[in-house]
């Protein structure tokens, strides 16, 4: 096989996202210091790569972005300084392309490419889809990437959910020998409040608008969002976990204000974001909105509006 880099084709460039080339307004991995320390320790271990395991929405990608953020700011051990972190979705590697007149597997081109580069960390999300099973041994990632991983110049981070880990990965001994599992757990309500608060500058930067109130009131509003998206209030089967589900309501609050062509977000916007969420059970929405109205009634009077009454028939959820 001819060298893909030599011929001008780069899998990393065409299918990857360089996380160390992004501009970060805030640290993407707020309150994840322990997980980041474990990740860096694995990356410093010869012939070992890291496997992040956690439920959908808990922030596995945010941890990897946090590593990229720390590399950019020289907050990593000297050995890791100067590395780049490239994210590739596993689905991109499953296909084939016509290359130099013949059909080539993209994952094989990736292996060929990384054999010629240094100081690169590759992050593959949904990595379980690349594990060979049955007749699909050609996609056995452990064997395909073994020479590259063992050489040590390129490090690999994989991410998968608990279910996929227990269903596919734990059966692959060759894979497990080269990967160190790092559990990414759902943060608590208190930690989720902190994550959302410290992420506000990023949302403000993206939207150009901000909350109308002071820090104390802003925290109260975010606490209400986190409360409304608690564990037993979420629609089952949507993969909704902290902090992702709380973020969805917070960003929807900003969307409500943008739709009204306003330069600030009010308590009414948060109210409507909770009301229109498709990821919270209708009866929970009614209870949370009633509590919200009582908690912020003086704020509504000060702002010059009233919170509307909500009928459960107005609320729909995702099916």
């Amino acid at each position: 096989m001819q060298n893909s880099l030599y011929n001008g084709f780069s899998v990393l460039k065409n299918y990857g996202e360089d996380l160390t080339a992004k501009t970060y307004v805030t640290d993407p991995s707020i309150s994840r210091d322990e997980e980041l320390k474990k990740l860096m320790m694995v990356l410093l271990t010869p012939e070992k790569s890291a496997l992040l395991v956690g439920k959908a929405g808990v922030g596995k990608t945010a941890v990897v972005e946090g590593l990229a953020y720390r590399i950019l700011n020289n907050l990593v051990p000297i050995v890791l300084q100067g590395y780049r972190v490239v994210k590739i979705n596993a689905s991109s590697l499953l296909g084939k392309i016509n290359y130099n007149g013949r059909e080539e597997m993209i994952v094989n081109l990736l292996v060929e490419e990384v054999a010629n580069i240094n100081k690169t960390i590759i992050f593959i999300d949904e990595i379980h889809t690349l594990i060979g099973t049955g007749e699909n041994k050609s996609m056995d990632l452990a064997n395909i990437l073994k020479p590259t991983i063992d050489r040590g110049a390129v490090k690999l981070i994989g991410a998968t959910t608990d279910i996929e880990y227990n269903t596919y990965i734990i059966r692959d001994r060759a894979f497990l020998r080269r990967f160190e599992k790092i559990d990414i757990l759902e943060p608590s309500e208190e930690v989720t409040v902190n994550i959302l608060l410290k992420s506000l500058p990023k949302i403000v930067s993206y939207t150009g608008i901000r909350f109308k109130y002071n820090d104390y009131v802003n925290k109260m509003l975010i606490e209400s969002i986190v409360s409304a998206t608690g564990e037993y209030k979420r629609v089952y089967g949507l993969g909704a976990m902290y902090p992702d589900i709380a973020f969805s309501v917070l960003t929807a609050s900003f969307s409500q204000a943008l739709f009204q062509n306003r330069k600030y977000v009010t308590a009414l916007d948060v109210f409507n974001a909770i009301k229109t969420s498709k990821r919270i059970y209708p009866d929970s929405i009614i209870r949370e909105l009633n509590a919200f109205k009582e908690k912020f009634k003086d704020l509504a009077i000060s702002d010059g509006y009233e919170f509307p009454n909500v009928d459960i028939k107005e609320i729909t959820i995702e099916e």
Side-chain angles (χ1 to χ4, degrees), residues 279-297:
R279 303 168 74 178
I280 308 172
Y281 285 117
D283 56 342
S284 295
I285 288 177
I286 296 297
R287 288 195 298 271
E288 291 298 319
L289 291 183
N290 286 334
F292 190 96
K293 289 164 67 173
E294 181 63 27
K295 184 176 182 180
F296 295 105
K297 61 182 180 181

Side-chain angles (χ1 to χ4, degrees), residues 77-295:
I78 294 174
V79 177
L80 292 177
Q81 291 181 6
Y83 268 76
R84 63 173 178 155
V85 182
V86 182
K87 176 186 176 184
I88 302 179
N89 289 326
S91 57
S92 300
L93 301 177
L94 291 171
K96 298 179 180 180
I97 61 170
N98 288 319
Y99 180 71
N100 285 343
R102 60 179 180 270
E103 196 174 62
E104 297 284 2
M105 293 175 60
I106 295 174
V107 69
N108 285 336
L109 290 177
L110 173 65
V111 171
E112 181 186 354
E113 179 175 345
V114 298
N116 295 281
I117 59 178
N118 293 302
K119 304 200 80 169
T120 301
I121 299 168
I122 298 174
F123 170 45
I124 301 179
D125 199 7
E126 297 184 344
I127 198 169
H128 62 276
T129 61
L130 298 184
I131 293 181
T133 57
E135 298 178 356
N136 192 27
K137 289 298 182 184
S138 62
M139 289 305 298
D140 190 335
L141 187 71
N143 287 325
I144 291 175
L145 292 179
K146 180 182 183 300
T148 302
I149 295 173
D150 290 351
R151 187 166 63 92
V154 174
K155 296 288 186 177
L156 185 63
I157 302 172
T160 189
T161 65
D162 305 78
I163 295 175
E164 275 77 20
Y165 177 82
N166 292 322
T167 303
Y168 304 106
I169 293 177
I170 205 169
R171 301 177 182 179
D172 193 319
R173 294 182 180 180
F175 187 98
L176 288 174
R177 279 198 302 271
R178 296 180 180 90
F179 282 80
E180 192 76 28
K181 179 187 178 189
I182 300 174
D183 291 311
I184 308 298
L185 303 178
E186 181 181 23
S188 65
E189 286 196 16
E190 181 181 359
V191 171
T192 302
V193 169
N194 184 52
I195 291 172
L196 266 60
L197 275 173
K198 291 185 176 179
S199 298
L200 277 177
K202 177 176 67 175
I203 301 173
V204 170
S205 174
Y206 289 162
T207 62
I209 63 175
R210 63 185 65 247
F211 270 124
K212 183 179 180 180
Y213 316 105
N214 59 37
D215 291 345
Y216 176 75
V217 176
N218 293 346
K219 183 178 181 181
M220 290 177 62
L221 288 167
I222 287 177
E223 287 172 343
S224 292
I225 290 173
V226 173
S227 172
T229 52
E231 181 177 2
Y232 299 107
K233 302 166 187 174
R234 308 165 186 164
V235 176
Y236 177 78
L238 293 179
M241 304 288 288
Y242 286 148
D244 183 66
I245 186 170
F247 264 120
S248 71
V249 176
L250 177 60
T251 54
S253 303
F254 280 73
S255 298
Q256 292 279 344
L258 286 170
F259 184 78
Q260 298 295 332
N261 297 315
R262 283 190 272 100
K263 295 295 184 181
Y264 52 82
V265 181
T266 68
L268 182 60
D269 295 318
V270 178
F271 180 94
N272 286 327
I274 294 172
K275 173 186 172 182
T276 56
S277 175
K278 301 295 189 295
R279 303 168 74 178
I280 308 172
Y281 285 117
D283 56 342
S284 295
I285 288 177
I286 296 297
R287 288 195 298 271
E288 291 298 319
L289 291 183
N290 286 334
F292 190 96
K293 289 164 67 173
E294 181 63 27
K295 184 176 182 180

